């Protein structure tokens, strides 16, 4: 029997107030916060099964497939649920648009939320708001500042305040300014990652085709963060990836974390999501130690993983491989249909910057 995970990702609902252009839910499932149609929430029965884990784990990432603060009752419900368990800390991601003063007061005064991560995809409103449709960068920055100031005024160590940036053709030129702005505001840390292609129309946004320009922006951003002394997690450059070819890194998610969706489905990770079972079918421990999980753990870090989603996982591929920039389920489909070269011809035509000038 394997011990319980260190933490879980609990996705209690499905819904968002934004329509972000890079979101894998955007083209099919992103819901309108304004009309409220189609929202799906975790049942009480499933929630009570999840709560049975609290004495066994250390942290819970409370989330939804979308925006957690669309469902404020779940935010407060989680805070109430963890009261008897001093070992538990909460983490959550937000787009920052619904961060009210009441929420900020609760975060600061409760001291059970260890980290708040804000999603920002531009240094200027014209860029951020065109990518994160329905968002206002000015509002998000004002809410981050309110949280930072409240934390400072009350001399609180937590929550850790983090911001995250999805790099793509339309915003890579603002990466250095994003880093500078976040450092000046006073966040504790910040990060960025490459856009993952979810459908064909997104391919023009992949920085795989703008490697030199992307490298230049990453190096500038690193230097700025270093000058401010702020912790930053940026991808390695394409040049560094080519110079430092290493073996496939190990995956530890099947031992460390479990993801539970609103319907009770337990998944292997938050990236490729292999369904391992349902928490309502005998509880979490039964699924965590079932035969499928044992097979996953036995093969995920082998030369030939049993599960196809692990074999082609984009999170474990070097960024100088085109496949690392494609959503894994889509990548498998392209490989099976022999269509990968239609999306990325070999040899690929690299571009020097987002103005689409070809390298001579």
């Amino acid at each position: 029997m394997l011990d319980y995970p260190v933490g879980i990702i609990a996705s209690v609902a499905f819904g968002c107030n934004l329509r972000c252009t890079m979101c894998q839910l955007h083209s099919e499932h992103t819901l309108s916060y304004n009309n409220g149609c189609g929202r799906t929430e975790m049942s009480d029965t499933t929630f009570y099964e999840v709560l049975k884990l609290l004495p066994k784990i250390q942290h819970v990432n409370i989330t939804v497939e979308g925006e957690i603060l669309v469902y404020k009752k779940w935010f407060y419900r989680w805070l109430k649920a963890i009261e008897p368990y001093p070992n538990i800390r909460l983490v959550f991601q937000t787009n920052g648009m619904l961060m009210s003063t009441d929420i900020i007061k609760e975060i600061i005064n409760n001291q059970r939320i260890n980290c708040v991560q804000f999603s920002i995809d531009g240094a200027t409103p014209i860029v951020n708001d065109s990518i994160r449709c329905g968002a206002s960068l000015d509002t998000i920055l004002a809410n981050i500042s309110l949280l930072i100031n409240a934390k400072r005024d009350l001399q609180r160590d937590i929550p850790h305040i983090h911001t995250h940036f999805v790099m793509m053709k339309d915003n890579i030129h603002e990466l250095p300014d994003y880093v500078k702005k976040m450092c000046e505001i006073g966040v504790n840390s910040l990060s960025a990652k490459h856009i993952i292609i979810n459908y064909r129309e997104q391919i023009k946004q992949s920085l795989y085709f703008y490697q030199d320009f992307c490298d230049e922006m990453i190096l500038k951003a690193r230097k700025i963060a270093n000058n401010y002394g702020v912790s930053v997690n940026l991808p390695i450059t394409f040049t560094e990836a080519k110079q430092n070819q290493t073996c496939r890194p190990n995956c530890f998610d099947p031992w460390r974390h479990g993801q539970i969706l609103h319907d009770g489905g337990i998944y292997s990770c938050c990236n490729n999501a292999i369904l391992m079972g349902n928490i309502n079918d005998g509880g979490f421990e039964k699924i965590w130690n079932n035969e499928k999980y044992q097979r996953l753990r036995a093969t995920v870090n082998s030369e030939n993983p049993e599960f196809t989603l692990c074999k082609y996982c984009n999170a474990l591929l070097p960024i100088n491989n085109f496949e690392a920039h494609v959503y894994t389920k889509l990548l498998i489909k392209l490989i099976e249909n022999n269509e990968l070269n239609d999306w990325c011809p070999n040899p690929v035509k690299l571009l020097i910057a987002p103005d689409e000038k070809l390298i001579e």
Side-chain angles (χ1 to χ4, degrees), residues 270-287:
C270 62
N271 189 41
N272 294 316
I274 301 168
L275 179 62
M276 309 305 291
N278 194 290
I279 198 169
N280 297 305
D281 298 332
F284 184 87
E285 184 175 336
K286 178 182 175 182
I287 307 302

Side-chain angles (χ1 to χ4, degrees), residues 331-344:
L331 175 62
I332 292 170
K333 180 180 178 181
L334 295 178
I335 292 172
E336 290 176 344
N337 295 336
N338 199 27
E339 296 176 347
L340 189 58
N341 282 343
D342 293 337
W343 285 50
C344 184

Side-chain angles (χ1 to χ4, degrees), residues 18 32 40 77 79 99 132 166 179 225 257 329 333:
L18 304 183
S32 170
T40 305
R77 195 173 184 184
L79 288 177
M99 182 73 72
R132 307 190 64 80
V166 178
V179 171
H257 300 97
K329 291 182 179 179
K333 180 180 178 181

Side-chain angles (χ1 to χ4, degrees), residues 1-2 254-255 268 276 285-301 306-307:
M1 299 282 285
L2 184 70
W255 291 268
S268 56
M276 309 305 291
E285 184 175 336
K286 178 182 175 182
I287 307 302
W288 186 245
N289 289 286
N290 68 12
E291 185 264 345
K292 189 173 183 179
Y293 246 123
Q294 292 178 37
R295 284 170 26 225
L296 173 66
R297 295 181 184 116
T299 66
V300 64
N301 294 320
E306 175 181 346
F307 294 90

